[in-house]
Amino acid sequence: MKLYSDKELSELLNQPIFHLIGDCADELGVECYVVGGYVRDIFLERPSKDIDVVVVGSGIRVAEQLKKKLGKKAHLSVFKNFGTAQVKAGALEVEFVGARRESYQRDSRKPIVEDGTLEDDQNRRDFTINAMAICLNKERFGELVDPFDGIYDLEDGIVRTPLDPDITFSDDPLRMLRCVRFATQLGFFIEDETFEALERNADRLKIISGERIQDELNKIILSPHPSTGFDYLYRTGLLQIILPELTALDDVQTVAGRAHKNNYYHTLEVLENVVKASPVGGRLEGALWLRWAALLHDIGKMKTRRWEASTGWTFHNHNYVGAKMVPQIFRRLKLPMDAKMKYVQKLVDLHMRPIVIAEDQVTDSAVRRLLNDAGDDIDDLMMLCEADITSKNSQRKQRFLQNFQIVREKLADLQVRDYKRLLQPVIDGNEIMEMFHLKPSREVGELKQTLKDAVLDNRVPNEREPLLQLLMEKAREMGLKTE
């Protein structure tokens, strides 16, 4: 980060929009300040598009005045119930609010709001690094107002609350997730007193809606090192409330001197491996759901854990059980119950398949079936499976990765050679029902599966005559009329 004098700040804010806002405030005889994330990001030398302005008076009146000066190119939205307004002009977006003081009731995070001073407004801010303000009035343009030394917390890489953290978090429990999110995104530490308040107030998170929780959680997952955020969430007790299925994985049992690995820390390692292999870049949406798949890939292991004297610890079908758990988790956290959920569910369900193939002889038939089941998500599945190899035995890890490379080469080869074969058989279910005078039933499914297996195993070409012959043979075997 970089420290700036007031003069340097005035030069950094030497843009027409800030001078216009200051002029509007001067004309109305009120103080106004740019605050929050925009100020923080100036010192962190990060780009920031959203501008938040606090007015000691009516923020709506200053917004209306700015709209007049910008003319038709600007759009004004007023939210009287909240005492806020927004001005948009091209890529520019400015939020206005009047300075206010807030008080809370124990069972709600909706504050009782009163008009206040700049000091009141800074007191209600969540963290010191978000409580800095820069004056936009002409006489004091560029002057930094930083009553809680947020600038030094930025320099030291610390997240802490301006006032008593117990009050800050109890008043609005969502701030606890924001605390973890900022620490994770910025690579900062949570100050000790603030951390202890997170532990004391974790149970308050239960009054927060799933929508608000998942929004913060997604930002943590998309950060450069999300495992850091999950470590904070776990150590403070927040993760036990949000994702108890994940924290349940932190349970290692030992029988006859043999222990299984800690699947919680393994999961975080897999998540970090996926981040390395697939940085966010321009595919923000895709990266998010691949990371969710990494986070949930072993979620079924506690339900399937068994000790078998002959083989040791087993987790048979944990992928199938985990895939069944995905919709429950998505529904509870108000995550989308659409193709995104199905994508995560599919990757959780299939994540063992490439490993099984890599352990055995890599046959065309097995790879073809994998490609058919994974479809367009095959590359993401392979990325997840390679990330899942966290063995501390370097030789074993290297062997798996080499076998995965063979699987990848066969996938690429089959995608070219077997494009037509990977399509559904040319005889479909409707034709089968018509041919044998059947209604939708188990028999129809069995006949369809016979054709599909034959095509995928390359026993017959995906052509009508050979498939028809196979269909008749299977029908006679099942005792169906073939006339």
Side-chain angles (χ1 to χ4, degrees):
M1 66 160 287
K2 188 171 181 179
L3 296 174
Y4 296 102
S5 66
D6 288 352
K7 182 178 179 182
E8 288 172 321
L9 285 175
S10 67
E11 291 172 357
L12 285 169
L13 293 177
N14 190 23
Q15 302 171 38
I17 186 62
F18 293 115
H19 288 290
L20 273 177
I21 294 169
D23 290 344
C24 293
D26 287 337
E27 289 165 13
L28 294 169
V30 294
E31 296 174 29
C32 75
Y33 302 82
V34 58
V35 297
Y38 193 91
V39 177
R40 179 196 68 228
D41 288 342
I42 286 176
F43 292 101
L44 291 177
E45 300 181 89
R46 300 197 319 172
S48 185
K49 292 181 181 178
D50 298 336
I51 302 170
D52 292 320
V53 172
V54 164
V55 177
V56 184
S58 172
I60 292 175
R61 287 186 64 204
V62 176
E64 290 170 339
Q65 189 82 343
L66 179 63
K67 166 68 174 80
K68 288 179 186 176
K69 288 184 180 291
L70 291 173
K72 292 182 179 180
K73 65 180 180 180
H75 176 74
L76 171 68
S77 301
V78 175
F79 310 97
K80 286 188 177 179
N81 289 345
F82 300 97
T84 64
Q86 180 189 74
V87 175
K88 283 186 177 181
L92 194 67
E93 192 172 303
V94 187
E95 300 274 353
F96 290 86
V97 64
R100 60 194 189 187
R101 77 166 60 93
E102 295 177 345
S103 57
Y104 290 81
Q105 295 178 328
R106 175 114 187 126
D107 60 348
S108 173
R109 61 177 293 267
K110 293 181 179 178
I112 299 166
V113 178
E114 303 172 87
D115 291 342
T117 63
L118 175 65
E119 181 183 1
D120 291 327
D121 201 88
Q122 288 178 300
N123 286 343
R124 74 177 182 83
R125 298 277 160 177
D126 50 9
F127 307 110
T128 60
I129 59 175
N130 295 333
M132 297 180 288
I134 300 174
C135 188
L136 297 181
N137 295 90
K138 189 171 184 178
E139 284 190 8
R140 296 169 53 212
F141 191 86
E143 179 184 313
L144 177 67
V145 182
D146 182 19
F148 306 110
D149 293 329
I151 190 71
Y152 297 113
D153 286 344
L154 273 182
E155 192 174 24
D156 294 337
I158 290 173
V159 179
R160 67 180 177 94
T161 59
L163 303 178
D164 183 338
D166 283 307
I167 296 173
T168 298
F169 295 146
S170 181
D171 281 349
D172 184 356
L174 186 66
R175 289 170 176 164
M176 293 190 286
L177 290 186
R178 285 171 57 82
C179 179
V180 172
R181 190 247 294 180
F182 280 120
T184 309
Q185 285 181 328
L186 299 174
F188 283 15
F189 295 101
I190 298 175
E191 180 255 353
D192 288 347
E193 189 178 342
T194 302
F195 186 92
E196 290 163 7
L198 289 173
E199 294 177 291
R200 288 191 294 269
N201 291 277
D203 202 55
R204 290 280 290 151
L205 194 67
K206 291 176 181 176
I207 72 168
I208 302 298
S209 69
E211 289 92 345
R212 303 306 299 270
I213 289 173
Q214 60 103 342
D215 184 53
E216 292 298 328
L217 201 55
N218 285 342
K219 290 174 182 175
I220 292 170
I221 289 172
L222 284 171
S223 64
H225 292 287
S227 64
T228 302
F230 280 96
D231 180 55
Y232 278 135
L233 291 173
Y234 189 21
R235 289 195 289 129
T236 56
L238 292 165
L239 191 59
Q240 289 85 328
I241 296 168
I242 300 169
L243 265 176
E245 300 90 343
L246 185 60
T247 59
L249 296 177
D250 185 18
D251 180 62
V252 178
Q253 290 192 358
T254 303
V255 175
R258 294 173 66 182
H260 59 78
K261 68 185 173 188
N262 186 305
N263 288 297
Y264 172 74
Y265 290 104
H266 163 74
T267 294
L268 296 190
E269 192 174 349
V270 173
L271 178 59
E272 286 293 322
N273 287 343
V274 164
V275 172
K276 288 178 196 170
S278 178
V280 171
R283 57 189 299 272
L284 189 70
E285 187 77 1
L288 174 62
W289 304 113
L290 177 57
R291 293 180 187 193
W292 265 107
L295 195 65
L296 301 181
H297 80 284
D298 275 348
I299 209 76
K301 278 195 167 178
M302 286 302 98
K303 290 187 177 182
T304 58
R305 178 175 58 184
R306 301 287 184 276
W307 168 260
E308 297 175 3
S310 58
T311 57
W313 289 106
T314 66
F315 302 90
H316 294 315
N317 292 323
H318 75 273
N319 54 308
Y320 174 78
V321 172
K324 291 288 186 185
M325 294 168 67
V326 168
Q328 303 163 18
I329 293 169
F330 267 53
R331 192 173 291 111
R332 187 179 72 238
L333 292 176
K334 307 299 182 188
L335 288 159
M337 300 297 293
D338 54 15
K340 299 177 182 72
M341 184 277 290
K342 291 186 181 299
Y343 163 89
V344 173
Q345 190 176 33
K346 180 202 281 190
L347 263 58
V348 171
D349 188 24
L350 295 179
H351 82 272
M352 291 299 294
R353 288 271 293 279
I355 294 174
V356 171
I357 293 171
E359 282 182 327
D360 203 352
Q361 185 179 357
V362 185
T363 65
D364 281 6
S365 177
V367 174
R368 189 178 290 114
R369 284 176 175 276
L370 175 65
L371 184 54
N372 178 75
D373 291 342
D376 292 339
D377 300 317
I378 187 65
D379 288 338
D380 286 355
L381 177 62
M382 291 301 296
M383 197 182 302
L384 172 61
C385 292
E386 287 170 349
D388 197 19
I389 306 303
T390 61
S391 172
K392 300 299 181 279
N393 183 322
S394 59
Q395 289 183 332
R396 185 170 185 267
K397 185 173 183 177
Q398 190 59 35
R399 187 178 73 252
F400 265 115
L401 293 176
Q402 286 172 348
N403 286 352
F404 273 136
Q405 186 57 36
I406 295 171
V407 174
R408 280 187 176 276
E409 289 168 2
K410 278 195 174 289
L411 281 167
D413 181 50
L414 286 169
Q415 281 173 310
V416 174
R417 281 198 292 122
D418 292 357
Y419 177 75
K420 181 179 178 182
R421 190 178 297 119
L422 289 171
L423 300 176
Q424 290 296 318
V426 294
I427 300 174
D428 64 15
N430 290 327
E431 190 173 356
I432 289 172
M433 287 189 287
E434 184 179 340
M435 196 179 297
F436 298 106
H437 307 292
L438 294 172
K439 292 183 178 179
S441 60
R442 181 186 59 78
E443 287 86 356
V444 175
E446 192 172 340
L447 290 168
K448 283 176 62 179
Q449 192 62 45
T450 296
L451 298 185
K452 186 172 183 178
D453 287 345
V455 168
L456 289 173
D457 291 339
N458 201 22
R459 286 187 277 113
V460 297
N462 192 8
E463 296 170 4
R464 184 172 183 78
E465 287 307 316
L467 284 178
L468 193 57
Q469 182 179 341
L470 178 64
L471 187 63
M472 291 303 174
E473 290 173 5
K474 182 64 178 177
R476 282 193 289 271
E477 181 186 314
M478 294 170 61
L480 297 175
K481 291 183 180 181
T482 57
E483 296 176 0

